[in-house]
């Protein structure tokens, strides 16, 4: 293997949004640095089952909402 081609792999601390801390190996930062997360599985709606921000209606419901008042009138 070639020398000096791989990044430095060392121990860091990861702090979750609820304050819990765990140690893992990473190439991020320097030895002993702490990575503070803004979003993690304990707070993100994708993992917690929280409310979605997108409209729950399907394509037909969106169409009817937008064009529901239009009618075809024969003259």
């Amino acid at each position: 293997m070639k020398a000096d081609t791989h990044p430095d792999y060392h121990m860091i601390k990861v702090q979750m949004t609820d304050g819990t801390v765990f140690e893992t190996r990473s190439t991020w930062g320097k030895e002993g640095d702490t990575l503070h997360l803004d979003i993690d599985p304990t707070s993100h709606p994708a993992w917690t089952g929280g409310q979605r921000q997108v409209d729950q209606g399907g394509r037909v419901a969106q169409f009817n909402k937008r064009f529901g008042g239009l009618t075809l009138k024969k003259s």
Side-chain angles (χ1 to χ4, degrees):
M1 290 182 18
K2 292 183 181 180
D4 300 327
T5 58
H6 300 287
D8 180 34
Y9 198 56
H10 49 270
M11 294 297 289
I12 66 165
K13 294 179 182 177
V14 178
Q15 183 173 3
M16 308 281 267
T17 56
D18 63 356
T20 58
V21 177
F22 66 93
E23 288 190 16
T24 187
R25 293 175 50 104
S26 176
T27 59
W28 180 86
K30 295 183 172 96
E31 178 81 26
D33 282 352
T34 302
L35 175 63
H36 299 276
L37 298 179
D38 293 329
I39 298 174
D40 62 19
T42 61
S43 65
H44 195 278
W47 289 288
T48 60
Q51 184 67 23
R52 288 182 159 186
Q53 300 223 358
V54 291
D55 186 18
Q56 296 294 321
R59 299 299 295 164
V60 174
Q62 290 175 356
F63 179 85
N64 288 336
K65 180 179 176 184
R66 188 169 179 188
F67 300 108
L70 297 178
T71 59
L72 295 175
K73 296 181 183 178
K74 293 185 179 181
S75 345

